Amino acid sequence: DHPQLLVMAAHHRLQAGDPVRAEALANRARAADPQSPDALNVLALVMIDAERAREAIALLETGLQAQPGLAPLHYTKAKAHDLLFELDRVEAELTRVIALQPDHTQALAWAATLANDRGDTRAARDLADLALRREPMLQNAHLALAAADLAEKKHGDAATRLSTLLADPDVSPRNRAFAQSLLGDALDGLDRPVEAFAQYDAANLEMRRQFAERTRSGESALARAGRLAAYFAKADPARWRARKGGAASGRQRHVFLVGFP
């Protein structure tokens, strides 16, 4: 019943894909030591895994009120906000992590990725380089640099970097898929479409393997498209017209929400 052993066991069960057992162990760890930041952190990670991000944030904020200087709690809070697509808050939490723990390589690499997303390749390179000085084989930092290369049309540099990364047998399955997709972009930029297609194909197969269990019981994209098409073929157009005095009254423009289906 030692709380730290329970925390370690909870992490192990979470990584093994057993969230129910992980949550039970995390709750036991917190009950044994309610002030333990490690117990609170692993319980928040279990909630994030179960897509209970709001609960995780509330839990972490409680812990940070008592101990605001704990970088691991801020990093886990960034993960929770990321699940909710609250990117400004993700970036704010990562900034706090780096201020508290400048050698937090995962936070540096993630911040580099966000910098790429907003088009700031210089910041992305600076952050990724900092991470790699501390952890030369950090996969996420190499991916961030490759993304910066692509944004700057340095397709050859990106292809070289990504090919080197993919030659490493220790690359995680998710990072391998991401690297293959980026390599496809690099090869496409080099006007090598056949090779690019092969990389995109390999990336999709890898992602399919990773998420097969999670998606097997749900509705497939093809089935959803068929269901939606059948619904709208029969839908009464009158239900889609604005009513007098309704929410559309007085509006100056429309906003269109567009998605893949």
Side-chain angles (χ1 to χ4, degrees), residues 54-168:
R54 294 286 180 210
E55 290 178 63
I57 289 168
L59 182 67
L60 291 161
E61 285 177 347
T62 299
L64 287 166
Q65 283 174 2
Q67 302 179 77
L70 291 176
L73 297 190
H74 285 290
Y75 187 73
T76 300
K77 194 160 175 263
K79 290 184 175 183
H81 285 300
D82 185 55
L83 191 61
L84 297 168
F85 302 101
E86 296 173 343
L87 296 185
D88 288 346
R89 294 183 179 184
V90 171
E91 197 151 10
E93 292 299 332
L94 292 177
T95 300
R96 290 188 187 100
V97 173
I98 294 166
L100 291 165
Q101 190 177 331
D103 62 348
H104 197 301
T105 54
Q106 290 291 347
L108 289 165
W110 191 357
T113 299
L114 292 179
N116 273 326
D117 290 345
R118 65 172 184 270
D120 190 348
T121 55
R122 176 178 288 185
R125 289 187 185 282
D126 289 345
L127 289 160
D129 284 338
L130 274 174
L132 289 171
R133 277 182 225 161
R134 294 168 170 84
E135 192 176 341
M137 300 304 294
L138 185 63
Q139 297 165 24
N140 291 342
H142 283 292
L143 289 169
L145 286 176
D149 288 336
L150 288 170
E152 295 172 357
K153 309 296 183 187
K154 298 175 181 175
H155 299 111
D157 291 347
T160 299
R161 186 184 301 279
L162 291 162
S163 296
T164 301
L165 181 63
L166 287 167
D168 182 355

Side-chain angles (χ1 to χ4, degrees), residues 10-260:
H11 277 293
H12 178 69
R13 294 319 308 158
L14 189 59
Q15 290 164 8
D18 185 2
V20 174
R21 182 69 179 142
E23 184 167 7
L25 289 161
N27 279 319
R28 282 178 61 195
R30 274 206 88 200
D33 184 359
Q35 303 305 314
S36 167
D38 292 332
L40 184 148
N41 196 47
V42 73
L43 183 56
L45 287 169
V46 169
M47 291 174 175
I48 291 167
D49 183 73
E51 300 188 358
R52 291 154 52 195
R54 294 286 180 210
E55 290 178 63
I57 289 168
L59 182 67
L60 291 161
E61 285 177 347
T62 299
L64 287 166
Q65 283 174 2
Q67 302 179 77
L70 291 176
L73 297 190
H74 285 290
Y75 187 73
T76 300
K77 194 160 175 263
K79 290 184 175 183
H81 285 300
D82 185 55
L83 191 61
L84 297 168
F85 302 101
E86 296 173 343
L87 296 185
D88 288 346
R89 294 183 179 184
V90 171
E91 197 151 10
E93 292 299 332
L94 292 177
T95 300
R96 290 188 187 100
V97 173
I98 294 166
L100 291 165
Q101 190 177 331
D103 62 348
H104 197 301
T105 54
Q106 290 291 347
L108 289 165
W110 191 357
T113 299
L114 292 179
N116 273 326
D117 290 345
R118 65 172 184 270
D120 190 348
T121 55
R122 176 178 288 185
R125 289 187 185 282
D126 289 345
L127 289 160
D129 284 338
L130 274 174
L132 289 171
R133 277 182 225 161
R134 294 168 170 84
E135 192 176 341
M137 300 304 294
L138 185 63
Q139 297 165 24
N140 291 342
H142 283 292
L143 289 169
L145 286 176
D149 288 336
L150 288 170
E152 295 172 357
K153 309 296 183 187
K154 298 175 181 175
H155 299 111
D157 291 347
T160 299
R161 186 184 301 279
L162 291 162
S163 296
T164 301
L165 181 63
L166 287 167
D168 182 355
D170 293 328
V171 174
S172 70
R174 186 169 297 191
N175 281 343
R176 181 170 295 279
F178 189 31
Q180 288 166 328
S181 182
L182 289 178
L183 182 54
D185 292 344
L187 292 166
D188 183 48
L190 293 169
D191 197 24
R192 292 156 62 181
V194 174
E195 294 169 79
F197 191 92
Q199 291 299 325
Y200 292 137
D201 193 40
N204 285 338
L205 286 171
E206 183 60 57
M207 293 299 283
R208 186 176 185 176
R209 275 193 292 270
Q210 287 181 51
F211 293 102
E213 275 303 317
R214 187 170 292 188
T215 59
R216 186 171 288 126
S217 60
E219 183 181 40
S220 71
L222 182 60
R224 180 169 65 233
R227 177 173 57 79
L228 291 173
Y231 170 80
F232 284 109
K234 299 175 184 176
D236 180 1
R239 296 181 62 189
W240 294 86
R241 294 195 182 105
R243 298 172 185 165
K244 288 183 179 179
S249 299
R251 298 291 181 235
Q252 299 302 310
R253 59 182 179 172
H254 293 90
V255 175
F256 294 90
L257 303 180
V258 183
F260 282 110

